[in-house]
Amino acid sequence: QVQLVESGGGSVQAGGSLRLSCAASGYTSSINSMGWFRQAPGKEREGVAAIYTGGTATFYADSVKGRFTISQDNAENTVYLQMNSLKPEDTAMYYCAATSRWYGRSWYETPRYNYWGQGTQVTVSS
């Protein structure tokens, strides 16, 4: 089993920045990729970014490219999401997820992820 705990959410004004963290514990050696997803009220959960934990490959949703950066600290079993130039439409609950495989360009498909955190709220005001 793998446990994921997110932190770093909060409220910011448009144009501001936040950095989310996701700490993994448990059977972390089974993880090959981790991702960040978000879900706004009344909307489906959507992929934001993903990273291959065994290398440097990353993927991003078009809506966040150039503004968000996913990174990892393997020694700490932690994945980060640096969010810059935040917009009101980025407001959502953000979830960290992990899976034992690397799905490449299918990274955004939520059923592929075995483990999920509880989420951290990000609110961006205009």
Side-chain angles (χ1 to χ4, degrees), residues 30-35 53 97-103 112-115:
S30 66
I31 298 172
N32 275 293
S33 60
M34 295 184 71
T53 57
T99 180
S100 59
R101 297 183 61 184
W102 172 241
Y103 291 100
R112 298 189 183 275
Y113 291 80
N114 311 100
Y115 306 104

Short mmCIF file of all heavy atoms in Angstrom, two decimals, residues 30-35 53 97-103 112-115:
data_model
loop_
_atom_site.label_atom_id
_atom_site.label_comp_id
_atom_site.label_asym_id
_atom_site.label_seq_id
_atom_site.Cartn_x
_atom_site.Cartn_y
_atom_site.Cartn_z
N SER A 30 7.15 0.67 -5.35
CA SER A 30 6.23 0.17 -6.38
C SER A 30 5.76 1.27 -7.32
O SER A 30 5.14 1.00 -8.34
CB SER A 30 5.01 -0.48 -5.72
OG SER A 30 4.25 0.49 -5.04
N ILE A 31 6.05 2.51 -6.98
CA ILE A 31 5.55 3.65 -7.76
C ILE A 31 6.46 3.92 -8.94
O ILE A 31 7.68 4.00 -8.79
CB ILE A 31 5.45 4.91 -6.88
CG1 ILE A 31 4.46 4.69 -5.74
CG2 ILE A 31 5.05 6.11 -7.73
CD1 ILE A 31 4.46 5.83 -4.74
N ASN A 32 5.87 4.09 -10.12
CA ASN A 32 6.63 4.47 -11.31
C ASN A 32 6.22 5.82 -11.87
O ASN A 32 6.95 6.41 -12.65
CB ASN A 32 6.51 3.41 -12.39
CG ASN A 32 7.52 2.30 -12.19
OD1 ASN A 32 8.72 2.52 -12.31
ND2 ASN A 32 7.04 1.13 -11.87
N SER A 33 5.07 6.29 -11.51
CA SER A 33 4.69 7.63 -11.94
C SER A 33 3.72 8.23 -10.94
O SER A 33 2.99 7.52 -10.24
CB SER A 33 4.06 7.61 -13.33
OG SER A 33 2.90 6.81 -13.37
N MET A 34 3.75 9.54 -10.88
CA MET A 34 2.86 10.29 -10.01
C MET A 34 2.29 11.45 -10.78
O MET A 34 2.90 11.98 -11.71
CB MET A 34 3.61 10.78 -8.77
CG MET A 34 4.09 9.64 -7.89
SD MET A 34 4.88 10.18 -6.37
CE MET A 34 3.47 10.83 -5.46
N GLY A 35 1.09 11.83 -10.38
CA GLY A 35 0.43 12.90 -11.10
C GLY A 35 -0.33 13.82 -10.17
O GLY A 35 -0.59 13.49 -9.00
N THR A 53 8.69 8.71 -12.21
CA THR A 53 9.55 8.77 -11.03
C THR A 53 10.90 8.10 -11.25
O THR A 53 11.83 8.34 -10.50
CB THR A 53 8.85 8.12 -9.82
OG1 THR A 53 8.51 6.78 -10.15
CG2 THR A 53 7.60 8.89 -9.44
N ALA A 97 -1.73 11.67 -7.09
CA ALA A 97 -2.03 10.27 -7.39
C ALA A 97 -0.75 9.54 -7.79
O ALA A 97 0.21 10.16 -8.26
CB ALA A 97 -3.05 10.17 -8.51
N ALA A 98 -0.76 8.24 -7.60
CA ALA A 98 0.41 7.43 -7.93
C ALA A 98 -0.03 6.12 -8.57
O ALA A 98 -1.13 5.62 -8.30
CB ALA A 98 1.24 7.15 -6.68
N THR A 99 0.86 5.59 -9.39
CA THR A 99 0.58 4.32 -10.03
C THR A 99 1.86 3.54 -10.23
O THR A 99 2.95 4.13 -10.22
CB THR A 99 -0.13 4.53 -11.38
OG1 THR A 99 -0.40 3.26 -11.98
CG2 THR A 99 0.71 5.36 -12.33
N SER A 100 1.74 2.25 -10.41
CA SER A 100 2.91 1.41 -10.53
C SER A 100 3.46 1.36 -11.95
O SER A 100 4.50 0.76 -12.20
CB SER A 100 2.58 -0.02 -10.08
OG SER A 100 1.51 -0.53 -10.86
N ARG A 101 2.78 2.01 -12.90
CA ARG A 101 3.24 2.02 -14.28
C ARG A 101 3.40 3.43 -14.79
O ARG A 101 2.91 4.39 -14.18
CB ARG A 101 2.25 1.24 -15.17
CG ARG A 101 2.12 -0.22 -14.81
CD ARG A 101 1.19 -0.93 -15.77
NE ARG A 101 1.67 -0.89 -17.15
CZ ARG A 101 1.00 -1.36 -18.19
NH1 ARG A 101 -0.20 -1.92 -18.01
NH2 ARG A 101 1.50 -1.30 -19.40
N TRP A 102 4.08 3.56 -15.90
CA TRP A 102 4.21 4.84 -16.59
C TRP A 102 3.42 4.72 -17.88
O TRP A 102 3.74 3.91 -18.74
CB TRP A 102 5.67 5.17 -16.87
CG TRP A 102 5.90 6.37 -17.75
CD1 TRP A 102 6.52 6.40 -18.96
CD2 TRP A 102 5.49 7.71 -17.49
NE1 TRP A 102 6.54 7.67 -19.46
CE2 TRP A 102 5.91 8.50 -18.60
CE3 TRP A 102 4.80 8.34 -16.44
CZ2 TRP A 102 5.68 9.88 -18.66
CZ3 TRP A 102 4.58 9.70 -16.50
CH2 TRP A 102 5.01 10.46 -17.60
N TYR A 103 2.39 5.54 -18.03
CA TYR A 103 1.48 5.42 -19.15
C TYR A 103 1.75 6.42 -20.27
O TYR A 103 0.97 6.49 -21.22
CB TYR A 103 0.03 5.55 -18.66
CG TYR A 103 -0.39 4.38 -17.81
CD1 TYR A 103 -0.40 4.46 -16.43
CD2 TYR A 103 -0.75 3.18 -18.40
CE1 TYR A 103 -0.76 3.38 -15.65
CE2 TYR A 103 -1.12 2.09 -17.63
CZ TYR A 103 -1.13 2.20 -16.26
OH TYR A 103 -1.49 1.13 -15.50
N ARG A 112 -6.17 4.93 -14.26
CA ARG A 112 -4.86 4.27 -14.29
C ARG A 112 -4.11 4.42 -12.97
O ARG A 112 -3.09 3.78 -12.76
CB ARG A 112 -4.03 4.83 -15.44
CG ARG A 112 -4.65 4.59 -16.82
CD ARG A 112 -3.70 4.96 -17.93
NE ARG A 112 -4.27 4.80 -19.25
CZ ARG A 112 -4.29 3.67 -19.93
NH1 ARG A 112 -3.78 2.56 -19.40
NH2 ARG A 112 -4.81 3.62 -21.15
N TYR A 113 -4.59 5.28 -12.10
CA TYR A 113 -3.89 5.55 -10.85
C TYR A 113 -4.49 4.74 -9.69
O TYR A 113 -5.70 4.74 -9.49
CB TYR A 113 -3.92 7.05 -10.54
CG TYR A 113 -3.07 7.83 -11.51
CD1 TYR A 113 -3.56 8.15 -12.78
CD2 TYR A 113 -1.77 8.20 -11.18
CE1 TYR A 113 -2.75 8.83 -13.69
CE2 TYR A 113 -0.97 8.89 -12.09
CZ TYR A 113 -1.47 9.19 -13.34
OH TYR A 113 -0.68 9.86 -14.24
N ASN A 114 -3.60 4.06 -8.97
CA ASN A 114 -4.04 3.17 -7.90
C ASN A 114 -4.25 3.88 -6.58
O ASN A 114 -5.07 3.47 -5.76
CB ASN A 114 -2.99 2.07 -7.68
CG ASN A 114 -2.56 1.40 -8.94
OD1 ASN A 114 -1.51 1.72 -9.50
ND2 ASN A 114 -3.36 0.47 -9.41
N TYR A 115 -3.46 4.92 -6.36
CA TYR A 115 -3.44 5.57 -5.05
C TYR A 115 -3.73 7.06 -5.20
O TYR A 115 -3.24 7.70 -6.13
CB TYR A 115 -2.08 5.37 -4.38
CG TYR A 115 -1.67 3.93 -4.30
CD1 TYR A 115 -0.70 3.41 -5.18
CD2 TYR A 115 -2.24 3.06 -3.37
CE1 TYR A 115 -0.34 2.08 -5.11
CE2 TYR A 115 -1.87 1.73 -3.30
CZ TYR A 115 -0.93 1.25 -4.19
OH TYR A 115 -0.56 -0.07 -4.11
#
